Amino acid sequence: EPMSAITRIGTADRLSKIVIHKETVYLCGQVADNADAPIGPQTENVLAKVDTLLEEAGSGRDHILSATIYLRDMKEFAGMNAVWDRWVPKGHAPARACVEARLARPELLVEVSIVAARKG
């Protein structure tokens, strides 16, 4: 497979769940399936989905390069971080940005977008 090859997994008209280029993995933004839940459980659900996609892509949370986190309201920052801090492996914290944003549906409190390296 040539190094410039791009692999797309879970591709629909609008997006692919996973895009792999060379040794870099890009995940589409992940939102909670339990959108009626508060920020803690929503964040746990989102990060579990990230884990599943990273594994499918040949990566893992210790290989995350960057994360962008979108919160419906910055008042949820501490609640999201409580879950995030338990999830990120010690010594492997990625570059990260966290912003307040209007998400696709009002009940969604958090969305996470990830770029990771594949495991060697």
Side-chain angles (χ1 to χ4, degrees), residues 39-71:
I39 189 64
Q42 278 200 35
T43 304
E44 289 168 354
N45 180 252
V46 167
L47 296 178
K49 291 169 72 174
V50 167
D51 278 334
T52 298
L53 291 172
L54 286 172
E55 183 177 343
E56 184 176 351
S59 186
R61 64 176 89 158
D62 58 334
H63 280 61
I64 296 173
L65 302 172
S66 70
T68 305
I69 301 169
Y70 305 92
L71 292 176

Side-chain angles (χ1 to χ4, degrees), residues 1-58:
E1 166 178 329
M3 285 301 285
S4 62
I6 297 171
T7 302
R8 299 175 199 280
I9 301 170
T11 301
D13 290 341
R14 185 170 292 154
L15 59 85
S16 295
K17 287 186 177 183
I18 302 168
V19 175
I20 302 168
H21 178 248
K22 299 183 180 177
E23 296 304 310
T24 306
V25 175
Y26 303 85
L27 303 184
C28 69
Q30 296 299 303
V31 296
D33 295 326
N34 57 344
D36 56 338
I39 189 64
Q42 278 200 35
T43 304
E44 289 168 354
N45 180 252
V46 167
L47 296 178
K49 291 169 72 174
V50 167
D51 278 334
T52 298
L53 291 172
L54 286 172
E55 183 177 343
E56 184 176 351

